[in-house]
Amino acid sequence: MTFVLGIDGGGTSCRAALATADGAILGRAKAGAANIRSDLTGARTNIVEAARQAFLAAGEDPDLIPQTPAVLGLAGANVGTYKQQLEAILPFSRSSVETDAEIALEGAVGSGDGAMAILGTGTAYMVRKNGKSRPIGGWGFQVGDQGSGARIGRDLLEQTLLAYDGVREPSPLTAEMMGVFRNNPQDVVEFTTNAKPGDFGGFAPKVFDYAAKGDAVATWIVDKAVADVEASLGVLGLEAGDPLCLLGGLAPLYAPRLSERHRALLKTPLDDALGGAVRMAVRMFAAPVEAAR
Amino acid sequence: MTFVLGIDGGGTSCRAALATADGAILGRAKAGAANIRSDLTGARTNIVEAARQAFLAAGEDPDLIPQTPAVLGLAGANVGTYKQQLEAILPFSRSSVETDAEIALEGAVGSGDGAMAILGTGTAYMVRKNGKSRPIGGWGFQVGDQGSGARIGRDLLEQTLLAYDGVREPSPLTAEMMGVFRNNPQDVVEFTTNAKPGDFGGFAPKVFDYAAKGDAVATWIVDKAVADVEASLGVLGLEAGDPLCLLGGLAPLYAPRLSERHRALLKTPLDDALGGAVRMAVRMFAAPVEAAR
């Protein structure tokens, strides 16, 4: 075995990295979506195409694909039998399909124990203790993802309408929001009817901005979000010395607001999720070879 | 003028009542949806059909429609120019298009001052002071309708998943809910992906049931919902003697939990929304004739 492949696949695109058996990345490439829940064969096609292109980007021969092992991190890999179904039809010498969270954690903290919090449009957590991973949260916008950008934006629109009705005190932020919607609450409702989590999440940075300036409604929303994130971090069972990485667009906004206990554990991520897939491929498929040298 | 018409139109059906000039209902009928926002001409067709059938049910001649005034209560009548557009194409001698809330309030408290709270799958409020109505809330499931069945059901699923993750203490209710979803949080997420407000709201009576038995999670959810309803009632500016009617499926569950101040104002509704439309038609179109007698 000369090479390993790392694959990071998601609903919008699929990235691949070709690396040497000791993890040095030689080439990267990108192909279409790899959504194993809605289109398994389409996902396979894009995964193989990304792998092929990574070989070409590295100046290597894609005909080596059947001799190359791969670790794939894919959203939804923990649901039903998608993992087994996909592994059965992949062309790599060996394939290990993991969740997207699993490769992100490996990228962030490496192969040892540690934890990550993904704080973006959604929120999700994963902790690894004695080599065993445990996911927390990530149940989506409607009934989960507390502290996410989507939930913060949704909270803001809710509080804006309550202020409009006089049920809560307005603030500079709710006044600005009513302006955004032409002072027409019906326009807010219209927006929310078709808004995707990312649309709600677009308002989150503004909420953090206003909270920093002391806006009462923004402060209320951010305080609640921080408490929700702290509650989830609390069940990870982290001890002094365990690395904790914050990922996602809201990570830098949350970091200074966390409790001292959790701030003390914060570490810069070692690598991104694609790098995590490569690291895991080296660990799973190449490490014994290394050890035998 | 011999008759008046009351019309109560909504997204699923349109009801009509034919009454004498002093408000005695002679016949009732029902036709298809009257959704003025999505299908104005279709709404007109069903409104006229319901009116025609109401004449027939009363044993009267539908050819009298052009000589009969009507009050119509329709959802969305307060948005944009739908009201004016519809009034211009209706065949009645005179037409007054009101919101669904306006006719419900008239049905509940009559023509005087008073207020109503609609507490069902959604929540909405309306108060009338010195003859002037003011709506509160009713902004929908995503960013409004605090205390509604839909919000209570959504809260329950959220707390159930938090209990699953160990972020909050489980309770008998969250344990039962996990059983409903085969102990698979992914099934909960799947449910929420396509659930309509009514689907979430289906869990609300169970939450009230468990709260009555002291379940900690149910109590937490209901306490929050009651506080939200109280906050909205609080801005209605009700004074001693103002009638307050609770409407909607959750009304009997909320009534005993309201503050003493609001419980003291509770009155049984005089009539339903269709009856309110008839009452309003008599008041607007027939009362001067009465007075001239």
Side-chain angles (χ1 to χ4, degrees), chain A residues 151-194:
Chain A
R151 289 290 297 262
I152 288 173
R154 191 173 78 181
D155 282 351
L156 173 58
L157 295 182
E158 177 165 358
Q159 297 307 314
T160 297
L161 290 172
L162 287 172
Y164 173 86
D165 275 335
V167 177
R168 83 166 294 155
E169 284 288 311
S171 75
L173 176 55
T174 64
E176 182 180 321
M177 289 303 291
M178 282 311 299
V180 168
F181 290 98
R182 304 181 311 162
N183 291 306
N184 185 350
Q186 206 61 53
D187 276 23
V188 179
V189 176
E190 208 87 43
F191 171 84
T192 64
T193 307
N194 301 305

Short mmCIF file of all heavy atoms in Angstrom, two decimals, chain A residues 151-194:
data_model
loop_
_atom_site.label_atom_id
_atom_site.label_comp_id
_atom_site.label_asym_id
_atom_site.label_seq_id
_atom_site.Cartn_x
_atom_site.Cartn_y
_atom_site.Cartn_z
N ARG A 151 -31.13 29.02 15.69
CA ARG A 151 -31.99 29.22 16.85
C ARG A 151 -31.89 30.67 17.36
O ARG A 151 -32.88 31.26 17.78
CB ARG A 151 -31.60 28.25 17.98
CG ARG A 151 -31.96 26.79 17.71
CD ARG A 151 -33.47 26.53 17.75
NE ARG A 151 -34.06 26.77 19.04
CZ ARG A 151 -34.32 25.84 19.95
NH1 ARG A 151 -34.05 24.57 19.70
NH2 ARG A 151 -34.87 26.15 21.09
N ILE A 152 -30.69 31.23 17.31
CA ILE A 152 -30.51 32.62 17.76
C ILE A 152 -31.30 33.57 16.85
O ILE A 152 -31.99 34.48 17.32
CB ILE A 152 -29.00 32.98 17.78
CG1 ILE A 152 -28.33 32.25 18.95
CG2 ILE A 152 -28.79 34.49 17.87
CD1 ILE A 152 -26.82 32.38 18.99
N GLY A 153 -31.23 33.32 15.54
CA GLY A 153 -31.99 34.16 14.60
C GLY A 153 -33.49 34.00 14.80
O GLY A 153 -34.24 34.98 14.74
N ARG A 154 -33.92 32.76 15.03
CA ARG A 154 -35.35 32.53 15.28
C ARG A 154 -35.80 33.23 16.55
O ARG A 154 -36.85 33.87 16.58
CB ARG A 154 -35.62 31.02 15.37
CG ARG A 154 -37.11 30.66 15.37
CD ARG A 154 -37.34 29.16 15.29
NE ARG A 154 -37.12 28.49 16.57
CZ ARG A 154 -37.23 27.17 16.76
NH1 ARG A 154 -37.52 26.37 15.73
NH2 ARG A 154 -37.03 26.64 17.94
N ASP A 155 -34.97 33.11 17.61
CA ASP A 155 -35.28 33.81 18.86
C ASP A 155 -35.41 35.32 18.63
O ASP A 155 -36.29 35.97 19.18
CB ASP A 155 -34.18 33.57 19.91
CG ASP A 155 -34.31 32.21 20.56
OD1 ASP A 155 -35.32 31.53 20.35
OD2 ASP A 155 -33.38 31.82 21.30
N LEU A 156 -34.51 35.86 17.82
CA LEU A 156 -34.53 37.30 17.58
C LEU A 156 -35.84 37.72 16.92
O LEU A 156 -36.47 38.71 17.34
CB LEU A 156 -33.34 37.71 16.70
CG LEU A 156 -33.35 39.17 16.25
CD1 LEU A 156 -33.36 40.12 17.44
CD2 LEU A 156 -32.16 39.46 15.34
N LEU A 157 -36.28 36.97 15.91
CA LEU A 157 -37.54 37.33 15.24
C LEU A 157 -38.71 37.19 16.20
O LEU A 157 -39.64 38.02 16.21
CB LEU A 157 -37.74 36.47 14.00
CG LEU A 157 -36.69 36.69 12.90
CD1 LEU A 157 -37.00 35.82 11.69
CD2 LEU A 157 -36.63 38.16 12.49
N GLU A 158 -38.68 36.15 17.05
CA GLU A 158 -39.75 35.98 18.03
C GLU A 158 -39.80 37.16 19.01
O GLU A 158 -40.87 37.72 19.27
CB GLU A 158 -39.56 34.66 18.80
CG GLU A 158 -40.60 34.46 19.89
CD GLU A 158 -40.66 33.02 20.41
OE1 GLU A 158 -39.92 32.16 19.91
OE2 GLU A 158 -41.47 32.77 21.31
N GLN A 159 -38.65 37.55 19.53
CA GLN A 159 -38.61 38.66 20.49
C GLN A 159 -38.98 39.98 19.82
O GLN A 159 -39.58 40.85 20.45
CB GLN A 159 -37.22 38.75 21.14
CG GLN A 159 -36.83 37.51 21.95
CD GLN A 159 -37.87 37.13 23.00
OE1 GLN A 159 -38.35 37.96 23.73
NE2 GLN A 159 -38.22 35.85 23.05
N THR A 160 -38.63 40.10 18.54
CA THR A 160 -38.99 41.32 17.79
C THR A 160 -40.51 41.45 17.69
O THR A 160 -41.06 42.54 17.87
CB THR A 160 -38.34 41.27 16.39
OG1 THR A 160 -36.92 41.25 16.53
CG2 THR A 160 -38.75 42.47 15.55
N LEU A 161 -41.19 40.33 17.40
CA LEU A 161 -42.65 40.38 17.30
C LEU A 161 -43.29 40.60 18.67
O LEU A 161 -44.31 41.29 18.78
CB LEU A 161 -43.18 39.09 16.66
CG LEU A 161 -42.86 38.94 15.17
CD1 LEU A 161 -43.24 37.55 14.67
CD2 LEU A 161 -43.59 40.01 14.35
N LEU A 162 -42.71 40.01 19.72
CA LEU A 162 -43.23 40.26 21.07
C LEU A 162 -43.09 41.73 21.43
O LEU A 162 -43.97 42.32 22.05
CB LEU A 162 -42.51 39.37 22.09
CG LEU A 162 -42.87 37.88 22.06
CD1 LEU A 162 -41.95 37.08 22.98
CD2 LEU A 162 -44.33 37.66 22.47
N ALA A 163 -41.97 42.34 21.03
CA ALA A 163 -41.77 43.77 21.29
C ALA A 163 -42.79 44.59 20.49
O ALA A 163 -43.35 45.57 21.00
CB ALA A 163 -40.34 44.18 20.94
N TYR A 164 -43.03 44.18 19.25
CA TYR A 164 -44.03 44.87 18.41
C TYR A 164 -45.39 44.87 19.11
O TYR A 164 -46.12 45.86 19.10
CB TYR A 164 -44.12 44.19 17.05
CG TYR A 164 -45.23 44.73 16.17
CD1 TYR A 164 -45.02 45.85 15.36
CD2 TYR A 164 -46.49 44.14 16.16
CE1 TYR A 164 -46.04 46.36 14.58
CE2 TYR A 164 -47.52 44.64 15.37
CZ TYR A 164 -47.28 45.76 14.58
OH TYR A 164 -48.29 46.25 13.80
N ASP A 165 -45.75 43.75 19.70
CA ASP A 165 -47.05 43.61 20.38
C ASP A 165 -47.06 44.23 21.77
O ASP A 165 -48.09 44.21 22.45
CB ASP A 165 -47.43 42.13 20.50
CG ASP A 165 -48.13 41.60 19.25
OD1 ASP A 165 -48.74 42.41 18.52
OD2 ASP A 165 -48.08 40.38 19.01
N GLY A 166 -45.91 44.71 22.22
CA GLY A 166 -45.84 45.30 23.56
C GLY A 166 -45.74 44.27 24.67
O GLY A 166 -45.86 44.60 25.85
N VAL A 167 -45.51 43.01 24.31
CA VAL A 167 -45.41 41.96 25.34
C VAL A 167 -44.04 42.01 26.01
O VAL A 167 -43.89 41.59 27.14
CB VAL A 167 -45.70 40.57 24.73
CG1 VAL A 167 -45.54 39.46 25.76
CG2 VAL A 167 -47.11 40.53 24.12
N ARG A 168 -43.03 42.49 25.26
CA ARG A 168 -41.75 42.71 25.91
C ARG A 168 -41.24 44.09 25.51
O ARG A 168 -41.69 44.66 24.53
CB ARG A 168 -40.74 41.61 25.59
CG ARG A 168 -39.99 41.76 24.28
CD ARG A 168 -38.80 40.82 24.27
NE ARG A 168 -37.82 41.19 25.26
CZ ARG A 168 -36.95 40.38 25.82
NH1 ARG A 168 -36.97 39.10 25.50
NH2 ARG A 168 -36.07 40.80 26.69
N GLU A 169 -40.28 44.62 26.28
CA GLU A 169 -39.70 45.92 25.97
C GLU A 169 -38.95 45.86 24.64
O GLU A 169 -38.16 44.96 24.43
CB GLU A 169 -38.68 46.30 27.06
CG GLU A 169 -39.29 46.76 28.36
CD GLU A 169 -39.91 48.15 28.24
OE1 GLU A 169 -39.24 49.05 27.71
OE2 GLU A 169 -41.07 48.30 28.66
N PRO A 170 -39.18 46.81 23.75
CA PRO A 170 -38.33 46.85 22.55
C PRO A 170 -36.91 47.26 22.92
O PRO A 170 -36.65 47.74 24.03
CB PRO A 170 -39.00 47.92 21.68
CG PRO A 170 -39.87 48.71 22.58
CD PRO A 170 -40.19 47.87 23.78
N SER A 171 -35.98 47.04 22.01
CA SER A 171 -34.59 47.45 22.22
C SER A 171 -34.10 48.01 20.90
O SER A 171 -34.77 47.87 19.87
CB SER A 171 -33.73 46.24 22.64
OG SER A 171 -33.48 45.41 21.51
N PRO A 172 -32.94 48.63 20.87
CA PRO A 172 -32.42 49.11 19.58
C PRO A 172 -32.38 47.98 18.53
O PRO A 172 -32.69 48.21 17.36
CB PRO A 172 -31.01 49.60 19.93
CG PRO A 172 -31.12 50.03 21.37
CD PRO A 172 -32.08 49.05 22.00
N LEU A 173 -32.04 46.76 18.97
CA LEU A 173 -31.98 45.65 18.01
C LEU A 173 -33.37 45.30 17.46
O LEU A 173 -33.54 45.11 16.25
CB LEU A 173 -31.34 44.42 18.66
CG LEU A 173 -31.29 43.16 17.80
CD1 LEU A 173 -30.60 43.41 16.45
CD2 LEU A 173 -30.57 42.02 18.54
N THR A 174 -34.39 45.20 18.32
CA THR A 174 -35.72 44.85 17.80
C THR A 174 -36.24 45.98 16.91
O THR A 174 -36.92 45.73 15.92
CB THR A 174 -36.74 44.56 18.93
OG1 THR A 174 -36.97 45.72 19.71
CG2 THR A 174 -36.26 43.42 19.82
N ALA A 175 -35.89 47.24 17.25
CA ALA A 175 -36.31 48.36 16.40
C ALA A 175 -35.65 48.25 15.03
O ALA A 175 -36.30 48.44 13.99
CB ALA A 175 -35.94 49.69 17.06
N GLU A 176 -34.35 47.92 15.02
CA GLU A 176 -33.66 47.77 13.72
C GLU A 176 -34.29 46.63 12.93
O GLU A 176 -34.48 46.73 11.70
CB GLU A 176 -32.17 47.50 13.93
CG GLU A 176 -31.45 47.39 12.59
CD GLU A 176 -29.96 47.12 12.70
OE1 GLU A 176 -29.32 47.69 13.60
OE2 GLU A 176 -29.44 46.32 11.88
N MET A 177 -34.63 45.53 13.60
CA MET A 177 -35.22 44.39 12.89
C MET A 177 -36.57 44.75 12.27
O MET A 177 -36.88 44.35 11.16
CB MET A 177 -35.39 43.20 13.84
CG MET A 177 -34.08 42.55 14.24
SD MET A 177 -33.10 41.98 12.82
CE MET A 177 -34.12 40.63 12.26
N MET A 178 -37.40 45.49 13.01
CA MET A 178 -38.68 45.90 12.44
C MET A 178 -38.43 46.74 11.18
O MET A 178 -39.16 46.62 10.19
CB MET A 178 -39.51 46.68 13.46
CG MET A 178 -40.22 45.82 14.51
SD MET A 178 -41.17 44.38 13.89
CE MET A 178 -42.40 45.16 12.84
N GLY A 179 -37.38 47.54 11.20
CA GLY A 179 -37.03 48.32 10.01
C GLY A 179 -36.67 47.42 8.83
O GLY A 179 -37.08 47.68 7.69
N VAL A 180 -35.91 46.37 9.11
CA VAL A 180 -35.54 45.42 8.07
C VAL A 180 -36.80 44.86 7.39
O VAL A 180 -36.83 44.63 6.18
CB VAL A 180 -34.71 44.25 8.67
CG1 VAL A 180 -34.57 43.10 7.69
CG2 VAL A 180 -33.34 44.75 9.14
N PHE A 181 -37.85 44.67 8.20
CA PHE A 181 -39.10 44.10 7.67
C PHE A 181 -40.15 45.20 7.44
O PHE A 181 -41.35 44.97 7.64
CB PHE A 181 -39.62 43.00 8.61
CG PHE A 181 -38.76 41.77 8.58
CD1 PHE A 181 -37.80 41.55 9.56
CD2 PHE A 181 -38.87 40.86 7.54
CE1 PHE A 181 -36.99 40.42 9.51
CE2 PHE A 181 -38.07 39.72 7.49
CZ PHE A 181 -37.13 39.50 8.48
N ARG A 182 -39.71 46.37 7.06
CA ARG A 182 -40.59 47.50 6.70
C ARG A 182 -41.66 47.77 7.76
O ARG A 182 -42.79 48.13 7.41
CB ARG A 182 -41.26 47.22 5.33
CG ARG A 182 -40.23 46.92 4.21
CD ARG A 182 -40.97 46.69 2.89
NE ARG A 182 -42.06 45.73 3.04
CZ ARG A 182 -43.07 45.59 2.19
NH1 ARG A 182 -43.15 46.34 1.12
NH2 ARG A 182 -44.00 44.66 2.41
N ASN A 183 -41.28 47.57 9.02
CA ASN A 183 -42.21 47.80 10.14
C ASN A 183 -43.52 47.04 9.99
O ASN A 183 -44.56 47.45 10.52
CB ASN A 183 -42.49 49.29 10.31
CG ASN A 183 -41.25 50.00 10.82
OD1 ASN A 183 -40.68 49.61 11.83
ND2 ASN A 183 -40.79 51.01 10.10
N ASN A 184 -43.48 45.92 9.27
CA ASN A 184 -44.68 45.13 9.04
C ASN A 184 -44.48 43.72 9.59
O ASN A 184 -43.74 42.92 9.01
CB ASN A 184 -44.96 45.07 7.53
CG ASN A 184 -46.28 44.36 7.24
OD1 ASN A 184 -46.88 43.76 8.13
ND2 ASN A 184 -46.70 44.44 5.99
N PRO A 185 -45.13 43.41 10.72
CA PRO A 185 -44.93 42.08 11.31
C PRO A 185 -45.32 40.96 10.34
O PRO A 185 -44.76 39.86 10.40
CB PRO A 185 -45.84 42.10 12.54
CG PRO A 185 -46.82 43.19 12.28
CD PRO A 185 -46.11 44.21 11.47
N GLN A 186 -46.26 41.26 9.45
CA GLN A 186 -46.66 40.25 8.47
C GLN A 186 -45.48 39.87 7.56
O GLN A 186 -45.38 38.73 7.12
CB GLN A 186 -47.83 40.79 7.65
CG GLN A 186 -48.73 39.73 7.07
CD GLN A 186 -49.38 38.86 8.14
OE1 GLN A 186 -49.99 39.38 9.06
NE2 GLN A 186 -49.22 37.56 8.04
N ASP A 187 -44.59 40.83 7.30
CA ASP A 187 -43.40 40.54 6.51
C ASP A 187 -42.47 39.59 7.25
O ASP A 187 -41.80 38.75 6.63
CB ASP A 187 -42.64 41.84 6.19
CG ASP A 187 -43.21 42.55 4.96
OD1 ASP A 187 -44.39 42.32 4.65
OD2 ASP A 187 -42.48 43.35 4.35
N VAL A 188 -42.42 39.72 8.58
CA VAL A 188 -41.60 38.79 9.37
C VAL A 188 -42.17 37.38 9.23
O VAL A 188 -41.43 36.42 8.98
CB VAL A 188 -41.58 39.20 10.86
CG1 VAL A 188 -40.76 38.21 11.68
CG2 VAL A 188 -41.07 40.62 11.03
N VAL A 189 -43.49 37.28 9.37
CA VAL A 189 -44.14 35.97 9.28
C VAL A 189 -43.90 35.36 7.90
O VAL A 189 -43.57 34.19 7.77
CB VAL A 189 -45.65 36.09 9.56
CG1 VAL A 189 -46.35 34.76 9.36
CG2 VAL A 189 -45.88 36.61 10.97
N GLU A 190 -44.05 36.20 6.87
CA GLU A 190 -43.82 35.76 5.48
C GLU A 190 -42.40 35.18 5.35
O GLU A 190 -42.19 34.11 4.80
CB GLU A 190 -43.97 36.96 4.56
CG GLU A 190 -44.42 36.65 3.14
CD GLU A 190 -45.96 36.60 3.05
OE1 GLU A 190 -46.64 37.47 3.62
OE2 GLU A 190 -46.45 35.65 2.41
N PHE A 191 -41.42 35.89 5.91
CA PHE A 191 -40.03 35.45 5.87
C PHE A 191 -39.86 34.09 6.53
O PHE A 191 -39.21 33.19 6.00
CB PHE A 191 -39.13 36.48 6.56
CG PHE A 191 -37.70 36.04 6.77
CD1 PHE A 191 -36.76 36.18 5.77
CD2 PHE A 191 -37.30 35.45 7.97
CE1 PHE A 191 -35.45 35.77 5.94
CE2 PHE A 191 -36.00 35.03 8.16
CZ PHE A 191 -35.07 35.19 7.15
N THR A 192 -40.49 33.92 7.70
CA THR A 192 -40.27 32.68 8.45
C THR A 192 -40.96 31.48 7.81
O THR A 192 -40.58 30.35 8.08
CB THR A 192 -40.81 32.80 9.90
OG1 THR A 192 -42.23 32.98 9.87
CG2 THR A 192 -40.18 33.97 10.62
N THR A 193 -41.96 31.74 6.97
CA THR A 193 -42.70 30.64 6.36
C THR A 193 -41.79 29.77 5.50
O THR A 193 -41.92 28.56 5.48
CB THR A 193 -43.86 31.20 5.49
OG1 THR A 193 -44.63 32.09 6.29
CG2 THR A 193 -44.74 30.09 4.98
N ASN A 194 -40.88 30.41 4.77
CA ASN A 194 -40.02 29.64 3.87
C ASN A 194 -38.55 29.66 4.27
O ASN A 194 -37.71 29.11 3.56
CB ASN A 194 -40.16 30.19 2.44
CG ASN A 194 -41.58 30.11 1.95
OD1 ASN A 194 -42.19 29.05 1.95
ND2 ASN A 194 -42.15 31.25 1.57
#
